[in-house]
Amino acid sequence: MARPLSAPASARVAIGLNAVLASVEDQRPKVLCARGPGRLFSLPYGPFDPERHRTFEIGIREWVERQTHVNLGYVEQLYTFGDKGREAPAAELVGGEASDRVVSVGYLALAAEPAAIDDATAAWRDWYDFFPWEDWRRGEPAMLSAVILPGLFAWAAQARDESAAENRRARIRLAFGLDRDGWEEERTLDRFEVMYEAGLVAEATRDRKTASRPLEGTGLEMASDHRRILATAIGRLRGKLKYRPVVFELTPPTFTLLTLQRIVEAIVGFELHKQNFRRSIEQSGLVVRTKASIQQTGGRPAALFRVNRPALTDRAGKGLAIPRLRQAPAFTFPGAEA
Amino acid sequence: MARPLSAPASARVAIGLNAVLASVEDQRPKVLCARGPGRLFSLPYGPFDPERHRTFEIGIREWVERQTHVNLGYVEQLYTFGDKGREAPAAELVGGEASDRVVSVGYLALAAEPAAIDDATAAWRDWYDFFPWEDWRRGEPAMLSAVILPGLFAWAAQARDESAAENRRARIRLAFGLDRDGWEEERTLDRFEVMYEAGLVAEATRDRKTASRPLEGTGLEMASDHRRILATAIGRLRGKLKYRPVVFELTPPTFTLLTLQRIVEAIVGFELHKQNFRRSIEQSGLVVRTKASIQQTGGRPAALFRVNRPALTDRAGKGLAIPRLRQAPAFTFPGAEA
DNA sequence: CTATATATGCTCAGAAAGAGCATTATTGCG
DNA sequence: CGCAATAATGCTCTTTCTGAGCATATATAG
């Protein structure tokens, strides 16, 4: 079992740090974007400099905070992306020579509010601009059954043999909740990857040279594999909500329970049962009622709450209950499936 | 917002792949270990060669399978470790010059059974040799209240001010379940990190030059930060069991429900309620009863089950229920705490 | 045949989760 | 002012999930 202490020089690669800096504003989940090569949106990216940064996290915090003046409350490593071909498009712009391998470590960071960005090349974007099919707050997104699922089924049908086709169908079922489990909001990445493989998103046609054209309604393209990273981040955040009290990294100092609910809904992408949401939040002990209350437009004034900081560290083990409304009616699988 | 397409040459680093290859044999969770420098145990390690491997996962599979002849069923990226100082000990062996930064991407892999290793320098070890306090199957490990907690409390008491001390105490409470939530098996990494910071494990005394001596009963030392990686893997696997049917990567082709239960218990580190475990397994539809049965030593013969493969992909969304027995009586916090 | 050791079947109680009804406060308008 | 509209809050009910434990069935070892 070889254990070389250092890799051959040929094996050196550059490491980049990608940040998905998320925030919720006005019932919209936002992500900080830059304009990459070819005017594509991209995630803010900074090289990791081993000379200056003792850890990745220090590196990420430093350059994000310096460039955006946003104080990162919460930072979490997402995934390390090292697939070949990630940088292919860039290499081709440069002239077709074999591109340097760039490995990037993706981070998820949360900010309480989308601070003004002083850089004209950067802006906060609603993350559903990139994943319109992920927002079910106003019901099932139309492009799902109109465009995406038909496209996926066609792709499944093109498989070389029946076993491969069944395999593709199973992946579609799982990712899009066509089986008894229904739509699982945290499968964001699975959904994007199936769509990518099926050639339904712009990145797919760009990365391969094949002619399958991306469809309308499959969201905005991003540079490199940034949309995949963003999908990973959304899925991770959606999952994390349930078992860690991370929402409070996104809340203002004081908020009503409905505000809190809207923030959660913006992230998970569907509406919650109001009364049950309050019940579980109040029981959790993660928030405390302040004496103040606030009246929004028409309606009984709402009590203002604030985070119960000590409970946050003590009970870091608990997340929020996500009381769904009636399970969205599962799609029926056209042909071949029940 | 700078987005350099390639990092300066100074920023290049070597990437290593570390594998935690886990298996369960004879009611013991095992991990494949090599003997590192200084005869310390280490995790198998291979350099990532961007020329040869299109993805990390391909790289990991290739060299682990080649060297161990174990077919990796399940492979999952764990975390990317890039902290400075990770390789300090090695560098010092080499002569004290500034060590090259090595970033390592840790992977968790599962194998159905610990295949014979043809390499004298490698061996399967019970992972509780490294984390004896994590095995509660025969009740609370003695060294916890005898050695570890006292050590941690002493560390908390040494904090510079009361606020820092309370902070340390909160971390200890959370990691070791001293508060109302009780012991949470998946907090393996938190526990190890607190112990490391408190100087209770051998790695801590080795890495700093300080004189705090590691205590008896705090497990076997590993090279570099491999024990941290292993702790991450154990925690991840323990958590994953609950929401993905990964156990079946560790089972023989056919097994009794008790065998399955023992495998789960080996991983989570505590005993389960037998009847409730069966109930949930049978309801899950993840296994099917075969006609065969088997009689072990004394006792009614047990039905043999096998995995229900189609259900595994379809219902990949569900994990196993972990029906705990009576919550282990929470420790009481000495002094200062209730 | 008896003592033991499991495997299996079932029941019961309490907690958690999903739904929906009823009441209470405010604002905007005739 | 009285009424409609809009939320915020309080509660109840039912269904599931979970934790525990009792009872019965089927082997093996004397």
Side-chain angles (χ1 to χ4, degrees), chain A residues 1-4 12-13 35 45 50 53-54 77 80 84 100-101 119 173 179-180 187 314-315, chain B residues 1-3 12-13 35 45 50 53-54 77 80 84 100-101 119 173 179-180 314-315 317:
Chain A
M1 188 155 301
R3 268 169 288 91
R12 322 227 128 200
V13 298
R35 284 284 185 171
Y45 167 89
H53 304 300
R54 198 167 48 75
Q77 186 182 303
T80 299
K84 189 158 204 152
D100 270 353
R101 192 63 160 273
D119 185 325
R173 274 205 305 278
D179 57 5
R180 81 196 113 216
R187 294 199 177 273
D314 266 22
R315 325 215 36 231
Chain B
M1 189 154 298
R3 269 169 288 91
R12 320 226 130 200
V13 297
R35 284 283 186 174
Y45 167 89
H53 304 300
R54 197 167 48 77
Q77 187 182 300
T80 298
K84 191 157 203 152
D100 271 352
R101 192 64 160 274
D119 185 325
R173 274 205 305 277
D179 56 6
R180 80 198 113 214
D314 266 24
R315 326 216 34 234

Side-chain angles (χ1 to χ4, degrees), chain A residues 1-8 10-15 32-37 42-51 53-56 67-68 77-84 87 90 94 100-103 105 107 117 119 121-122 166 170 173-174 179-181 184 186-187 244 313-318, chain B residues 1-8 10-15 32-37 42-51 53-57 67-68 77 79-84 87 90 94 100-103 105 107 117 119 121-122 166 170 173-174 179-181 184 186-187 244 313-318:
Chain A
M1 188 155 301
R3 268 169 288 91
L5 281 178
S6 61
S10 73
R12 322 227 128 200
V13 298
I15 293 196
L32 186 62
C33 292
R35 284 284 185 171
S42 70
L43 293 174
Y45 167 89
F48 170 63
D49 182 352
E51 307 287 309
H53 304 300
R54 198 167 48 75
T55 71
F56 291 147
Q67 300 197 333
T68 67
Q77 186 182 303
L78 271 180
Y79 199 81
T80 299
F81 301 85
D83 288 12
K84 189 158 204 152
E87 298 298 339
V94 178
D100 270 353
R101 192 63 160 273
V102 175
V103 166
V105 184
Y107 273 80
I117 304 299
D119 185 325
T121 69
E166 174 49 33
R173 274 205 305 278
L174 180 63
D179 57 5
R180 81 196 113 216
D181 288 330
E184 290 179 81
E186 69 272 23
R187 294 199 177 273
R244 284 300 112 99
T313 44
D314 266 22
R315 325 215 36 231
K318 298 303 160 204
Chain B
M1 189 154 298
R3 269 169 288 91
L5 281 178
S6 61
S10 70
R12 320 226 130 200
V13 297
I15 293 198
L32 186 62
C33 292
R35 284 283 186 174
S42 70
L43 293 175
Y45 167 89
F48 169 63
D49 182 352
E51 308 286 311
H53 304 300
R54 197 167 48 77
T55 70
F56 291 147
E57 195 179 309
Q67 299 197 333
T68 67
Q77 187 182 300
Y79 199 81
T80 298
F81 302 85
D83 288 13
K84 191 157 203 152
E87 298 299 337
V94 179
D100 271 352
R101 192 64 160 274
V102 175
V103 165
V105 184
Y107 272 79
I117 304 299
D119 185 325
T121 69
E166 174 49 32
R173 274 205 305 277
L174 181 63
D179 56 6
R180 80 198 113 214
D181 289 329
E184 291 179 80
E186 69 273 21
R187 294 200 178 273
R244 283 303 111 99
T313 44
D314 266 24
R315 326 216 34 234
K318 298 302 160 204

Side-chain angles (χ1 to χ4, degrees), chain B residues 85-89 92 196 201-210 221-225:
Chain B
R86 294 184 57 238
E87 298 299 337
E92 287 183 303
Y196 178 94
V201 295
E203 283 87 339
T205 24
R206 182 193 68 196
D207 293 353
R208 326 170 193 169
K209 328 294 184 222
T210 75
E221 178 179 359
M222 292 186 92
S224 185
D225 59 350

Side-chain angles (χ1 to χ4, degrees), chain A residues 189-269:
Chain A
L189 179 61
D190 302 72
R191 286 186 282 271
F192 183 71
E193 287 189 335
V194 178
M195 288 174 64
Y196 178 93
E197 285 183 50
L200 304 185
V201 295
E203 284 86 340
T205 24
R206 182 192 67 197
D207 293 354
R208 326 173 194 165
K209 329 294 181 219
T210 75
S212 62
R213 76 263 161 271
L215 303 169
E216 290 295 312
T218 58
L220 293 182
E221 179 180 359
M222 291 186 92
S224 185
D225 59 350
H226 289 190
R227 214 158 152 206
R228 194 148 73 92
I229 299 178
L230 181 53
T232 306
I234 294 173
R236 183 73 73 83
L237 181 55
R238 284 177 168 184
K240 203 108 188 182
L241 279 189
K242 296 178 200 156
Y243 60 97
R244 284 300 112 99
V246 283
V247 229
F248 301 109
E249 303 294 341
L250 298 168
T251 50
T254 192
F255 47 84
T256 70
L257 292 184
L258 185 59
T259 305
L260 183 62
Q261 182 180 339
R262 295 293 181 226
I263 292 176
V264 174
E265 289 174 340
I267 295 170
V268 299

Side-chain angles (χ1 to χ4, degrees), chain B residues 120-138:
Chain B
T121 69
W124 292 96
R125 297 284 314 203
D126 186 326
W127 76 32
Y128 294 124
D129 289 347
F130 305 104
F131 302 97
W133 59 89
E134 294 287 344
D135 187 3
W136 287 60
R137 284 175 296 176
R138 264 116 231 159

